[in-house]
Amino acid sequence: MTSAMPVDSSSDASSDDDAPATSTAAAAGLDGPSDNDHDGDDDGSDDGDANGHVPAGTTRAAATLSLFWDMASTDPAERRTAAASLLKALDSLQRDFQAAPVDLGADDDDEENNAERMDVDADGAGVEDGGSDDTAAATRAAATAAATAAAARIEAQFHPDVVYTLRRLVRGLPSSRDGARLGFSLALTELLAMLPDLALRDLLTLLESLTPTTKGMKGQEVREIYFGRLFCYRAVLLSGMVRRPHTRVRDIEKMAQQALELSRSKAYLSEACFEVLIGVCRDLVESGKPDAATRVVELSLADGISTPEQLWLAVVIQENCPSILK
């Protein structure tokens, strides 16, 4: 599947997408004001008070913040215009930003390795075998350390407004307001395509930290979180991140496993999840990583072919990439 920009249509099944704001100032970074709003509806008030007033000391332009509202419009044309305005401004800022060198292929991160030793359930709560309080605390500590390391790498690489927008878009994907999810996923896809140095491992860690679920959440809240994660995986695929030379196979496998967890947890997500997995396999084959594609197929068909979606994947792979089937 070739990388392409998502089609922004108001008829999308989830009817939710939020778009970024045209950042014209080097304002807040990873700990910007929007991270204080945990209601799951990225409605613009997270950048200030309930009326959207920006706190004193913040230089982010109000006109820029208004683009997030426009990207949540029910009008597809308005969403696309707002996203284009945002990306144009961010591209200019990032071109002038002097990024610190970051080893995108490093495999020796203690925090990441510790986090990956934990079993992570589909709800995003790390649970190691045994489930003791000590284990749960260790899991949370490992996840926090991994998120901190990822945040540091992202802050070192990108302009503060780019960082802010990346976080806000990822955080806004679960929003069910108007056309928020459609607009945000459109803008996120374009932003990811604009940031060739962004590592998939850091994006996945960011997604996990910004879309947590808890036992006390209502079913509708969990549903929105799941849709948000799915739209992020779709943005990864459409932006071309899978094809990048520095994208590690272990990170692609991690995303595939997370997509499979979603498909198993909610039947209505299964088809969309497998559509992403099929696209990942195609991108891997076309970018010269057939072994990685084989691994994704093995994960997807680990329990055989027992669902229509698994049959769909098997048929598509057999017809288009038979060499990766073993």
Side-chain angles (χ1 to χ4, degrees):
M1 178 179 292
T2 57
S3 299
M5 303 319 300
V7 176
D8 185 357
S9 169
S10 57
S11 63
D12 189 282
S14 68
S15 65
D16 285 325
D17 237 23
D18 245 87
T22 311
S23 266
T24 57
L30 287 180
D31 297 319
S34 72
D35 297 328
N36 297 325
D37 179 8
H38 298 290
D39 62 2
D41 184 7
D42 195 23
D43 56 8
S45 61
D46 52 315
D47 295 290
D49 61 20
N51 297 315
H53 297 147
V54 181
T58 336
T59 56
R60 186 169 290 109
T64 293
L65 298 178
S66 70
L67 290 175
F68 286 97
W69 283 91
D70 294 341
M71 287 189 291
S73 169
T74 56
D75 182 354
E78 187 173 358
R79 291 197 298 266
R80 290 193 293 267
T81 298
S85 297
L86 172 68
L87 272 296
K88 182 178 180 180
L90 292 180
D91 183 56
S92 177
L93 290 171
Q94 184 59 31
R95 288 177 184 275
D96 295 335
F97 180 72
Q98 296 299 315
V102 174
D103 185 354
L104 297 174
D107 286 326
D108 56 353
D109 298 337
D110 291 337
E111 298 87 355
E112 181 185 14
N113 293 335
N114 288 337
E116 289 185 354
R117 278 193 283 269
M118 305 294 179
D119 292 327
V120 180
D121 64 14
D123 289 339
V127 180
E128 199 174 40
D129 293 340
S132 68
D133 290 342
D134 289 343
T135 296
T139 301
R140 289 192 295 271
T144 298
T148 300
R153 287 190 294 267
I154 291 173
E155 286 183 312
Q157 289 177 281
F158 306 113
H159 186 281
D161 273 23
V162 173
V163 175
Y164 170 84
T165 300
L166 177 64
R167 286 181 63 88
R168 181 158 181 177
L169 291 178
V170 170
R171 221 173 141 270
L173 288 177
S175 175
S176 58
R177 180 174 58 89
D178 299 334
R181 187 172 296 129
L182 289 172
F184 272 48
S185 65
L186 170 67
L188 179 62
T189 300
E190 297 195 23
L191 181 61
L192 296 180
M194 193 183 82
L195 304 176
D197 292 333
L198 178 62
L200 178 57
R201 62 170 175 176
D202 291 338
L203 178 63
L204 294 178
T205 300
L206 185 67
L207 176 65
E208 291 169 3
S209 67
L210 295 180
T211 60
T213 59
T214 63
K215 292 182 179 179
M217 278 187 171
K218 297 180 180 178
Q220 179 66 19
E221 293 176 308
V222 174
R223 175 182 179 276
E224 300 301 345
I225 290 290
Y226 286 172
F227 267 116
R229 293 177 184 174
L230 174 59
F231 271 68
C232 188
Y233 303 147
R234 181 171 176 264
V236 168
L237 174 65
L238 296 178
S239 67
M241 288 190 78
V242 172
R243 295 170 172 264
R244 294 174 184 171
H246 63 71
T247 297
R248 304 181 307 178
V249 173
R250 64 187 290 192
D251 298 324
I252 295 172
E253 289 183 7
K254 180 179 179 179
M255 188 178 80
Q257 289 171 330
Q258 292 174 343
L260 287 167
E261 288 173 351
L262 281 185
S263 72
R264 288 191 287 265
S265 64
K266 300 295 180 182
Y268 56 76
L269 295 176
S270 187
E271 181 178 351
C273 288
F274 270 81
E275 182 178 14
V276 169
L277 293 169
I278 290 171
V280 167
C281 289
R282 284 173 168 166
D283 272 10
L284 288 171
V285 171
E286 292 174 5
S287 58
K289 301 175 183 177
D291 291 342
T294 298
R295 179 58 181 153
V296 172
V297 172
E298 291 173 347
L299 290 171
S300 304
L301 305 180
D303 56 350
I305 300 177
S306 57
T307 68
E309 292 78 19
Q310 288 175 319
L311 177 60
W312 177 32
L313 181 144
V315 170
V316 171
I317 297 301
Q318 179 62 47
E319 292 180 348
N320 298 276
C321 318
S323 61
I324 70 173
L325 294 177
K326 294 183 178 180

